Amino acid sequence: MNKSVLVLYYSRGGHTARISRAIADRIVSEGHQCDMMHINEAKAEGLDWSKYDVVALGACVLYGSYHKSVFEFVTEHQAEFAAKPASFFSVNVVARNPEKRVPENNKYLQKFIELSPWKPQDVKVIAGKVDYPSWRWYDRWMIQFIMKMTNGPTDPTSIIDYTDWQDVDVYADHLVTLSK
C-alpha cells in the first residue's frame, strides 16, 4: 500500500535540506508519495496534516542547540505530531563518531527530547557536514575551537561530509513502515 509522507526540516547551511531531499527522493523512488518543506514555509503557507500517513521532522545543531524556530514549530504543532506516526532526525557533526549516532549517546538528540513538548517515539541521528569555507568567519572560528577541543578537523579549507547516505536511505525506508 502506498504511503504519504511529509518531511519537514530546518536547515541553516543547506545540508539538512539536502538530507531531507534524499529522504524524500528515496520514498518517492519506492513508490510512495512524499512532500518536503522547510518549517518556515510550512508556517507561512500552512499544512493539511490529514494528507499524510507519516511525518518526519529534521533539524540541524549549531553551537550545541537547535534553532528556536524548531521548538516554536513543535510547540505550535505538538497535537498534529502526536496524532500520527512521526519521527525526529537530528543532524549534527558530533555524530561523525559512530558511537554518537546512537540516540542514547547523542547529547544533542537527548537535549531535543528534554526541551521539546513533543516526545518523538521514533528518532534518528545523522552525521552532518563540516564546510569551513562556506561559513561566516565567526562561525568558522567558533566551530574550529569546538573541533580542537573534540579532536575534530580544524583546517579552515576543510569540507568533510560525514553523512552515511546509505543509512539515510535505510531511514527513509523505515519511515514508510511507521504507518500501519
Side-chain angles (χ1 to χ4, degrees), residues 13-59:
H15 195 66
T16 303
R18 184 174 169 218
I19 291 168
S20 297
R21 170 56 56 207
I23 291 168
D25 287 349
R26 173 66 177 209
I27 290 168
V28 169
S29 77
E30 295 297 314
H32 303 282
Q33 194 274 327
C34 187
D35 291 333
M36 180 185 117
M37 190 178 288
H38 191 287
I39 61 171
N40 292 344
E41 180 185 358
K43 187 174 181 175
E45 294 183 14
L47 283 173
D48 180 358
W49 294 79
S50 67
K51 288 176 29 180
Y52 304 101
D53 300 308
V54 177
V55 177
L57 170 65

Side-chain angles (χ1 to χ4, degrees), residues 13 15 93 129-136 140 143 155-161:
H15 195 66
V93 175
K129 178 179 178 181
V130 170
D131 188 356
Y132 287 122
S134 75
W135 295 336
R136 297 177 307 198
R140 183 172 48 249
I143 294 169
D155 177 353
T157 64
S158 292
I159 301 172
I160 306 167
D161 184 352

